[in-house]
Amino acid sequence: MNIAIIFAGGSGVRMGAGIPKQFLEINGKPVIVHTLDLFENHREIDKIYISVLADYIPYMQKLVNRFNLTKVSGIVAGGETGQDSIFNALSKAREENPGDSIVLIHDGVRPWITYETISRNIAGVKENGNAITCTACFETILMSTNGKKVETVPYRKDTFAAQAPQSFYLDDILDAHEQVRKTENRYDNLVDSCTLIKSIGRDAFMVEGNRGNIKVTTPEDVYMYRALLQYKENEQAFGIGLTPNNLLNN
């Protein structure tokens, strides 16, 4: 069983749109629906669970019905943090599915992953027990604790940007969450599932992601995503296969 866990419990303050950014419509569909479509149409994905702000659960259900998202098996309330939202969705999935199911944890506002990236995540979990989507950094990364003075500069060839999905066996990632939730600091400074499992001493393994896997968080991201969609819509005019699966690899 391969399950997508889509977390979208944020309030969208940085977007300044008046509604949570995951529900902002772009080209006639909310961002989260663009994201869900990728998993809905992927042949290896069996089920989808979504976590959203509690007040938006009825609206999310209407979107599921309107866009015929037949793989959605549950919608749960998000939590205080992104990790709480993920935990809630994972817990719902565990109630209904085997513990050895593969779960792909994905941000609801990352609507431009490729089908190949999803498949690499599933294969990566089978091979190594987990899979963290990454892309090589093309810019120099600086380390600074105060945001003013450069303290270290790691070799660029050794730096990668972690993205999503981040994928695991269901029981493994739930166990990691339960360990962390028992600690005094809980999810403090644990920005994603990769940092969560590293915090309890587990190894994490990378799989290659695709360029353009942006997180739609600011107005500038909206413009970028609209441009990507425009390229997709005009693929015939450009004479090459401009689709989410190959646009950024050409």
Side-chain angles (χ1 to χ4, degrees):
M1 186 73 69
N2 299 320
I3 300 169
I5 300 292
I6 309 298
F7 64 102
S11 59
V13 173
R14 281 173 289 181
M15 183 66 72
I19 60 171
K21 55 186 177 292
Q22 56 270 28
F23 297 115
L24 183 67
E25 286 205 5
I26 298 178
N27 286 26
K29 289 196 292 190
V31 172
I32 192 170
V33 174
H34 286 283
T35 301
L36 289 166
D37 275 343
L38 299 172
F39 293 92
E40 174 74 24
N41 294 318
H42 195 287
R43 60 183 176 80
E44 293 182 84
I45 297 298
D46 301 299
K47 291 184 177 182
I48 302 170
Y49 290 85
I50 310 168
S51 64
V52 296
L53 293 167
D55 289 346
Y56 281 83
I57 289 177
Y59 179 56
M60 186 71 249
Q61 186 60 60
K62 289 181 179 179
L63 292 177
V64 167
N65 297 338
R66 174 184 168 191
F67 291 98
N68 195 32
L69 299 169
T70 61
K71 291 183 180 179
V72 173
S73 297
I75 305 171
V76 302
E80 182 178 349
T81 69
Q83 293 302 320
D84 285 305
S85 296
I86 291 169
F87 177 76
N88 292 349
L90 288 170
S91 298
K92 178 64 175 177
R94 187 62 184 91
E95 292 174 6
E96 303 174 356
N97 302 280
D100 62 355
S101 300
I102 292 174
V103 290
L104 294 84
I105 299 170
H106 192 70
D107 196 314
V109 291
R110 285 191 186 270
W112 199 262
I113 55 165
T114 64
Y115 292 132
E116 289 83 0
T117 297
I118 294 172
S119 292
R120 280 195 291 267
N121 270 259
I122 294 169
V125 174
K126 291 178 179 178
E127 180 178 358
N128 295 311
N130 60 61
I132 309 300
T133 302
C134 297
T135 56
C137 291
F138 284 177
E139 299 187 27
T140 302
I141 303 300
L142 308 178
M143 303 297 294
S144 174
T145 54
N146 62 12
K148 297 180 179 179
K149 181 180 178 181
V150 176
E151 295 167 1
T152 58
V153 183
Y155 289 120
R156 191 187 323 182
K157 67 180 181 63
D158 297 331
T159 61
F160 298 81
Q163 299 178 330
Q166 298 186 0
S167 305
F168 309 85
Y169 286 112
L170 178 53
D171 274 353
D172 287 349
I173 190 60
L174 263 178
D175 175 68
H177 272 272
E178 287 164 355
Q179 288 189 49
V180 167
R181 292 170 73 86
K182 292 175 183 176
T183 66
E184 181 180 355
N185 294 327
R186 295 180 85 251
Y187 294 127
D188 285 355
N189 297 317
L190 301 183
V191 296
D192 61 7
S193 299
C194 179
T195 54
L196 186 148
I197 65 165
K198 291 296 293 179
S199 75
I200 60 171
R202 295 187 187 176
D203 291 331
F205 298 89
M206 299 186 296
V207 294
E208 183 182 0
N210 60 282
R211 300 247 164 227
N213 184 10
I214 62 172
K215 184 177 180 181
V216 181
T217 304
T218 67
E220 290 79 10
D221 299 326
V222 173
Y223 300 144
M224 185 179 297
Y225 184 56
R226 281 178 174 156
L228 290 170
L229 288 174
Q230 188 63 51
Y231 276 120
K232 178 185 175 184
E233 291 173 0
N234 290 288
E235 59 183 1
Q236 296 301 321
F238 280 88
I240 60 174
L242 294 172
T243 69
N245 289 326
N246 61 21
L247 169 62
L248 299 165
N249 295 319
N250 282 283

